[in-house]
Amino acid sequence: MATPIDSRRADLSRRRLLQLSGLGAAASLTAGGAQAEALPVPTGRGAAMRRHRGSPPRKGLPTLPAAGIIALNRMGFGPRPGDIAAFAALGANDPDRMAVYVAQQLDPGTISDSELDSRLAAAGYESIGISQDPDTYRATLWDWYINDNAPSGNTSSSLPRDELTRSTFVRAIYGNKQLVEVMTDFWLNHFNVDINHSSFVRTMYAHMDLVIRLEIMGNFRTMLEAVANSTAMLYYLDNYTSSNAGPNENFSRELFELHTLGSENYLGVLQQNQVPLDGEGRPIGYVDADVFEATRCFTGWSFSYGVSGDGDTGLFYYRQDWHDRFQKNVLGVFIPQDQAALKDGRDVLDALASHPGTGRYIARKLCRRLISDNPPQNVIDAAAAVFTAQWQAPDQLKQVYETILMSEEFRTTWGEKIKRPFEISVSAMRAAGADFTLRMDDSDTSSFLSRYDDTGQELFNWPAPNGYPDVRGAWQSMTPRVSTWRLCNWLIDFDDADDNYYLDVLGQTPVTVRSPNELADFWIQRILYRPMDPADRNEIVQFMAQGINPDFDLNFDDGDTLDRLRAMVGLLLMSPDFLWR
Amino acid sequence: MSASTRRGFITGCSASVAAFAGTHFNTLAFGGTSDPNEDILVSIFLRGGLDGLNLVMPTSGADRGFYEAARPDLGVPVTGPNAALPLNAQLGFHPATNTWPNGTGTPPATLYDLYQDNKLSLVVAAGMNLDNRSHFDSMSFMELGTPGTLSTSTGWLTRHLQTASNLPPEILLPALAVGNLQQASLRGSTDAVNMTSPDSFSLNIGPFEWRAAQRVAMRNLYSADSWLHESGALTLDAIDLIELNTGDGYTPANGAIYPGGSFGNHLQTVARMIKTDIGLRVATVDFGGWDTHNGQGNEGGGYYSTHIQELARGLAALYTDLDGSGALNYTSRLTVVVQSEFGRRLGENADNGTDHGHGNVMMVMGGNAIGGVHGTWPGLAPDQLFDNADLEVTTDYRRVLSEVLIRRMGNNQIGAIFPGYEGYTPLGVVDGVDLTPDDGSAIFTDGFESGDLSRWT
């Protein structure tokens, strides 16, 4: 397709840049300083922006893409080459294809992951995948990195953290169980622990990651208790020292406010007997007194760290003599004195997990992650109903996800959310066919992570117990926008010690694709998997053509031309179209 | 100027950026009046719930007895090396507010020096009169300026910028949100630039010879009307603005030494951008790590003391850095407000920590601070506590902020900025001209109260 050349592309000095960027008055910009007079100042932001282009503004919001793009971008971290074609082959129409894809992703045990497995094996992480038995795993982590018996001799508590960070990237980039990765990220943020809180947490966080993964398609109540008694959570929210003599309410407060009922069901400093009851006689929400009473229920929930003959294993350890043995009342549930070990706390977890308020709160969060920032109420209601009705089912969460993912709204909503930095980074590497396994003791990995960590979404590093925000308002901030642009434009230059690019743009471009028109169309399809707005496509073509006929082949023996091709891919990765989810 | 044209703020308005590139200019260049237009409000939020009772604590009388009984381990002593520093006859200041890193030359002022010099006002028992001990709700309530309502689509500083009648029609950098994400107090503001440091706020990356062409294409790709395109275009404007107006590196003035770590770095970014003279009026900075349920540190020492030291050194460094003479006398235009979502419980817990409480101390620092201790101390006797456990709130935090807005920022649109807040009278924390607060009834019906959930849940 022939495209007219815009001759303004030539001669791009800094000054020209400013002019083209809407700085028409920049002619007065000189080395000696600027002249302030006679500037036609736009009257507002909109006016300034409209001047960038001669034509009237386009609408900007994207149209609904094929279902495969929605599935790969919201149930996963974006398509890799071949994924969209594979999705298209799943059925005769989008609803059918979606049903098959959702069913596959909800049954991760049947998904093969040979590339991921070989990359993980090649990376040789010492602390990852030691055992699928949670207690064996956490005892090993404790022994190796707290009690300094790691076989490698590197006993730093940073090692399990750094390996988990690296392996999480590798799983997200190369794993086929994409929904597992998305939901693991969701639950790790739901039960947020700041991995850099302390050396104990740095070491034991990977155990929490494991218990969440083991229950990822399972039961919320089970996951809730596994997290509540994880070493990382016990330490992060201080429950490990909470005792009858000195109760610490930090964990119990966040258990109610963040892990289960949510602050939408918090009624403040009322007394328990002032809370209205629902149709089934349950309090409609919780008050501070419920937090205080629950705190008593969890006294003694601790872990073994080498006091009072507890064995110093890092395992969960119930300190019976620290437990408040008397009767309690939580959320209308009477808890008699002197119950069996752990029963008080488990009664609280039962009351919370079965409360319809928890179902509503978590269904809303899941829909916010999977559909849009303000998800349709009917889908929330449907998911919440399944969550509460199935609260004891072993596949409760799978049923809840299925309700959301099989909704028409999931398949017909697009562009209400944008990718966050982790999603941008991973999807860029997936789309651009990166060949990069993050490893320890690798300066290229360190270079990548140091740039990634500037984006504001350093993995597992949100300091407060509420987790990274999941709404676009937060991520439209300029720090993540600028830093992810920088990261994307750095990735296309990212190479190893032998100057091999990790994102090999030219190597992945068929030799028959050499003209600016062909190059633009090939890489638009590779990065975005759908056509661009014609004006935007023209922008990409013109960038690549730089004044020559865009149907003429380019010669990549010229280093400048190769640089320009990489820069064109960088441009696509920095484009608004790449950000929509 | 009406509120509607206020949206005509041109953050990094491209023409203006270019016009003033390479020069430093004063807002007078835009024909604005000089006072109080040029005042700068720096809002610092201490995330996690500052233990205000260990920052400003009773040192005498019956309340000293209640304090010591409730905090036998954590209490700041009145004697010895960690003795509280006297504020007045009843109250003392944490000793870590009077430290300075070892070095040569004359030590610049400490935070306690600034207090003694009446550059620091302390408001005791400030906060929200709301029954809520949730970090996240409380922070949102405060930063949105609407206690009890989370769905407000704009932050209180956003509404200040929208309603201030004394700002010039064009201004390059009205607001700066320092950190990884824009703070909720600037929610919905398209006037703010969000960054951590100008050094990394640049597109100086990627194949060198094609960077300029990439930028042109980026401009065009982000030229459309969606919220995403608009925020991208604003970001590109901001990059131009920052690149053109900040040079390499930064050396604090007047011997100021910022503490290491992100808090000190972020304050340094504020000072650097103030000195760039591109019109900064409002800046937000966060400092976390105050949720001290555990291991707070006994007898005035430990973690909390180190953290207070970082806070105090940062504040003192900011003041010192900006306290030049002549045109560099930025402190005469500076007001820094420090607040946290709530205070902590009077009684220490068994983990040498403190749990979520209620009333707290606020700090107001600046060249026009009146100094001293303000507000009404509610007492620590059991029947004087909130919910039988916490310091009561006797000063609404909005009263302090309203006074700064009126007396320093010249904005009396209190009804729009803090809808529902009534009965404002100045507490006397800063000097300035009193204006009759506008209850905002006219503006309030103009859409500020609508919670646009589609953008800002």
Side-chain angles (χ1 to χ4, degrees):
Chain A
M1 179 166 62
T3 308
I5 300 292
D6 183 342
S7 61
R8 70 187 180 170
R9 297 293 136 186
D11 183 30
L12 286 163
S13 64
R14 172 74 195 166
R15 178 166 140 183
R16 184 99 177 107
L17 162 69
L18 291 170
Q19 288 178 299
L20 290 174
S21 355
L23 312 186
S28 61
L29 176 61
T30 60
Q35 305 299 313
E37 71 274 15
L39 285 171
V41 176
T43 54
R45 195 162 47 80
M49 288 174 55
R50 277 192 291 279
R51 291 174 47 199
H52 298 157
R53 207 188 264 279
S55 54
R58 291 167 290 118
K59 181 149 186 315
L61 288 173
T63 52
L64 188 70
I69 291 172
I70 293 173
L72 269 297
N73 275 297
R74 286 216 306 272
M75 294 168 65
F77 292 95
R80 293 181 75 200
D83 283 354
I84 294 294
F87 185 93
L90 293 177
N93 55 52
D94 270 351
D96 286 357
R97 293 171 192 130
M98 186 66 88
V100 175
Y101 187 77
V102 167
Q104 286 175 352
Q105 288 291 315
L106 288 173
D107 197 4
T110 63
I111 298 175
S112 92
D113 240 341
S114 53
E115 179 177 359
L116 172 64
D117 293 342
S118 61
R119 284 184 184 271
L120 290 173
Y125 307 123
E126 179 187 52
S127 65
I128 304 293
I130 298 169
S131 171
Q132 291 295 299
D133 175 64
D135 276 351
T136 304
Y137 188 40
R138 79 166 130 178
T140 306
L141 289 171
W142 186 268
D143 180 50
W144 287 7
Y145 306 106
I146 297 296
N147 287 337
D148 294 347
N149 293 315
S152 66
N154 181 350
T155 60
S156 165
S157 66
S158 302
L159 188 137
R161 174 198 63 187
D162 293 346
E163 291 194 335
L164 185 68
T165 298
R166 285 155 174 74
S167 63
T168 297
F169 267 101
V170 173
R171 288 179 196 280
I173 300 168
Y174 296 106
N176 293 327
K177 299 166 187 170
Q178 286 277 290
L179 183 61
V180 169
E181 297 307 312
V182 168
M183 296 325 303
T184 301
D185 175 78
F186 173 87
W187 290 112
L188 283 172
N189 277 280
H190 180 79
F191 295 113
N192 193 59
V193 167
D194 172 8
I195 201 168
N196 288 317
H197 173 269
S198 56
S199 60
F200 281 1
V201 176
R202 271 195 292 276
T203 303
M204 305 306 284
Y205 189 96
H207 162 261
M208 205 176 84
D209 177 86
L210 174 64
V211 299
I212 284 174
R213 286 178 180 276
L214 289 173
E215 209 57 32
I216 200 73
M217 296 289 161
N219 177 272
F220 175 75
R221 169 66 182 81
T222 305
M223 186 190 288
L224 183 65
E225 183 165 335
V227 170
N229 80 24
S230 75
T231 312
M233 183 64 80
L234 286 164
Y235 195 71
Y236 176 60
L237 291 182
D238 302 315
N239 206 78
Y240 78 111
T241 55
S242 187
S243 68
N244 187 21
N248 192 309
E249 70 188 56
N250 200 11
F251 167 72
S252 290
R253 182 170 294 280
E254 308 308 4
L255 172 68
F256 280 72
E257 181 180 331
L258 299 174
H259 301 169
T260 58
L261 283 166
S263 69
E264 65 190 43
N265 292 299
Y266 174 45
L267 302 170
V269 188
L270 290 178
Q271 291 306 315
Q272 287 177 321
N273 59 11
Q274 297 172 298
V275 178
L277 305 180
D278 68 13
E280 296 175 44
R282 257 183 311 241
I284 60 165
Y286 72 96
V287 295
D288 276 19
D290 289 307
V291 173
F292 302 149
E293 288 282 88
T295 301
R296 298 175 56 215
C297 293
F298 287 105
T299 47
W301 285 46
S302 182
F303 66 88
S304 160
Y305 56 100
V307 297
S308 315
D310 64 17
D312 192 17
T313 62
L315 294 170
F316 178 78
Y317 191 85
Y318 179 63
R319 300 181 192 276
Q320 177 79 53
D321 53 333
W322 291 9
H323 186 67
D324 181 336
R325 53 177 282 256
F326 296 121
Q327 65 186 55
K328 300 118 185 152
N329 189 318
V330 181
L331 274 181
V333 175
F334 177 72
I335 295 172
Q337 71 277 9
D338 292 320
Q339 292 208 99
L342 304 178
K343 179 83 166 58
D344 290 4
R346 287 175 169 157
D347 285 351
V348 174
L349 298 180
D350 285 344
L352 289 166
S354 61
H355 194 289
T358 297
R360 287 192 301 271
Y361 169 65
I362 291 181
R364 189 185 329 278
K365 276 187 84 169
L366 284 165
C367 290
R368 187 177 293 141
R369 167 59 62 97
L370 293 168
I371 300 178
S372 66
D373 290 0
N374 291 286
Q377 191 62 42
N378 60 312
V379 184
I380 297 171
D381 291 344
V386 171
F387 188 100
T388 302
Q390 300 296 321
W391 79 275
Q392 292 171 297
D395 63 346
Q396 174 206 16
L397 293 175
K398 179 176 172 175
Q399 293 185 49
V400 173
Y401 306 152
E402 185 174 26
T403 303
I404 298 168
L405 298 172
M406 288 305 294
S407 70
E408 186 177 350
E409 288 80 357
F410 175 74
R411 193 165 36 79
T412 58
T413 303
W414 178 253
E416 299 280 320
K417 294 184 84 70
I418 49 173
K419 294 173 184 172
R420 301 181 294 172
F422 184 58
E423 293 144 1
I424 292 169
S425 312
V426 172
S427 64
M429 289 199 275
R430 286 174 65 85
D435 179 10
F436 178 54
T437 300
L438 291 85
R439 293 177 288 120
M440 297 295 288
D441 303 320
D442 173 47
S443 61
D444 290 342
T445 299
S446 301
S447 294
F448 168 78
L449 287 173
S450 73
R451 283 166 176 80
Y452 174 76
D453 291 346
D454 282 344
T455 64
Q457 202 189 2
E458 187 176 343
L459 290 185
F460 325 125
N461 196 49
W462 182 260
N466 59 342
Y468 279 107
D470 199 8
V471 292
R472 70 197 198 201
W475 297 102
Q476 277 176 269
S477 295
M478 291 181 182
T479 300
R481 181 67 57 251
V482 175
S483 55
T484 53
W485 281 341
R486 288 169 65 86
L487 180 71
C488 287
N489 222 23
W490 177 83
L491 277 174
I492 51 145
D493 273 350
F494 184 29
D495 58 10
D496 67 16
D498 299 323
D499 300 331
N500 300 307
Y501 291 109
Y502 287 112
L503 277 66
D504 184 3
V505 171
L506 185 62
Q508 294 180 83
T509 306
V511 292
T512 55
V513 172
R514 283 296 179 268
S515 76
N517 273 323
E518 292 164 345
L519 290 162
D521 289 337
F522 176 82
W523 280 102
I524 288 169
Q525 183 63 22
R526 270 294 299 277
I527 301 297
L528 303 174
Y529 293 89
R530 58 193 185 279
M532 282 183 117
D533 172 285
D536 289 343
R537 176 191 175 274
N538 192 36
E539 203 68 47
I540 304 298
V541 171
Q542 287 169 357
F543 177 87
M544 202 60 230
Q546 291 297 313
I548 69 147
N549 185 323
D551 287 323
F552 288 1
D553 283 358
L554 298 174
N555 177 2
F556 286 104
D557 294 339
D558 173 6
D560 270 6
T561 310
L562 176 55
D563 285 352
R564 191 162 81 242
L565 176 62
R566 290 203 320 281
M568 184 194 83
V569 173
L571 203 48
L572 290 167
L573 295 173
M574 296 189 286
S575 72
D577 283 352
F578 189 65
L579 294 174
W580 299 116
R581 291 178 63 213
Chain B
M1 185 172 300
S2 73
S4 58
T5 59
R6 183 66 45 235
R7 298 171 200 280
F9 268 161
I10 306 167
T11 303
C13 156
S14 300
S16 303
V17 177
F20 295 104
T23 71
H24 285 185
F25 65 94
N26 185 291
T27 48
L28 290 172
F30 282 118
T33 55
S34 64
D35 187 18
N37 288 14
E38 297 180 352
D39 264 53
I40 302 153
L41 169 56
V42 179
S43 172
I44 297 176
F45 210 104
L46 306 180
R47 309 220 173 250
L50 165 77
D51 183 15
L53 282 170
N54 263 15
L55 180 58
V56 174
M57 71 297 296
T59 50
S60 66
D63 282 340
R64 180 70 199 176
F66 292 123
Y67 175 82
E68 290 184 355
R71 298 187 167 206
D73 302 307
L74 287 190
V76 176
V78 289
T79 57
N82 281 346
L85 306 163
L87 293 169
N88 59 27
Q90 289 87 38
L91 297 170
F93 214 18
H94 195 286
T97 59
N98 197 33
T99 60
W100 193 257
N102 292 329
T104 55
T106 307
T110 65
L111 189 64
Y112 185 57
D113 291 336
L114 292 172
Y115 174 81
Q116 293 179 305
D117 199 23
N118 289 326
K119 302 302 180 194
L120 179 68
S121 303
L122 300 169
V123 183
V124 295
M128 278 187 300
N129 275 311
L130 210 61
D131 297 345
N132 194 306
R133 292 194 182 103
S134 155
H135 291 295
F136 310 104
D137 284 358
S138 298
M139 284 192 275
S140 294
F141 291 154
M142 277 190 165
E143 294 184 85
L144 296 175
T146 54
T149 302
L150 293 173
S151 59
T152 316
S153 59
T154 53
W156 74 274
L157 287 168
T158 303
R159 294 192 298 277
H160 158 59
L161 291 166
Q162 285 173 332
T163 58
S165 63
N166 57 2
L167 292 165
E170 290 90 35
I171 185 167
L172 290 179
L173 184 65
L176 179 67
V178 187
N180 283 336
L181 296 173
Q182 188 157 316
Q183 285 83 354
S185 54
L186 282 166
R187 176 177 290 182
S189 173
T190 53
D191 300 318
V193 170
N194 161 234
M195 66 174 171
T196 54
S197 163
D199 296 330
S200 56
F201 201 78
S202 167
L203 287 178
N204 58 352
I205 209 158
F208 181 81
E209 66 276 40
W210 302 111
R211 287 178 194 169
Q214 272 189 326
R215 282 185 177 219
V216 174
M218 289 280 277
R219 279 279 175 196
N220 290 331
L221 292 175
Y222 278 91
S223 166
D225 279 352
S226 82
W227 49 270
L228 174 59
H229 290 83
E230 289 189 7
S231 71
L234 286 170
T235 306
L236 290 166
D237 287 343
I239 291 171
D240 287 347
L241 172 75
I242 300 303
E243 284 182 347
L244 286 166
N245 285 285
T246 48
D248 293 333
Y250 177 74
T251 304
N254 313 315
I257 302 172
Y258 289 88
S262 63
F263 178 60
N265 291 341
H266 291 175
L267 289 177
Q268 197 160 291
T269 292
V270 172
R272 189 170 169 186
M273 296 318 296
I274 287 173
K275 292 184 196 176
T276 307
D277 290 332
I278 51 175
L280 187 63
R281 298 298 199 281
V282 164
T284 51
V285 176
D286 293 331
F287 186 23
W290 300 98
D291 194 19
T292 49
H293 287 274
N294 191 318
Q296 191 170 320
N298 289 348
E299 296 173 0
Y303 172 87
Y304 179 85
S305 174
T306 307
H307 224 49
I308 287 290
Q309 183 170 298
E310 187 173 345
L311 172 66
R313 286 181 179 176
L315 293 171
L318 179 71
Y319 194 93
T320 301
D321 190 7
L322 294 173
D323 196 30
S325 56
L328 301 178
N329 180 15
Y330 295 98
T331 50
S332 65
R333 305 199 269 128
L334 176 74
T335 306
V336 179
V337 178
V338 184
Q339 62 179 331
S340 188
E341 67 262 33
F342 44 61
R344 306 193 76 83
R345 202 153 298 168
L346 170 61
E348 66 186 38
N349 64 26
D351 299 330
N352 296 327
T354 44
D355 295 321
H356 300 186
H358 195 56
N360 209 344
V361 65
M362 285 176 74
M363 296 194 279
V364 180
M365 177 182 83
N368 298 286
I370 289 172
V373 175
H374 302 264
T376 304
W377 181 258
L380 298 181
D383 61 351
Q384 293 172 320
L385 298 175
F386 171 81
D387 198 25
N388 304 315
D390 305 335
L391 185 70
E392 192 46 278
V393 169
T394 56
T395 297
D396 191 309
Y397 83 104
R398 294 171 296 186
R399 184 181 182 189
V400 179
L401 300 180
S402 296
E403 181 177 332
V404 172
L405 287 172
I406 289 175
R407 288 190 170 181
R408 295 313 319 159
M409 309 308 284
N411 188 354
N412 70 337
Q413 299 296 315
I414 302 306
I417 298 168
F418 297 119
Y421 173 54
E422 293 173 348
Y424 164 78
T425 55
L427 188 62
V429 295
V430 287
D431 277 322
V433 177
D434 283 319
L435 306 169
T436 305
D438 187 315
D439 68 7
S441 50
I443 293 168
F444 196 49
T445 56
D446 196 26
F448 284 124
E449 80 279 21
S450 68
D452 178 6
L453 284 167
S454 67
R455 292 217 181 178
W456 296 103
T457 306

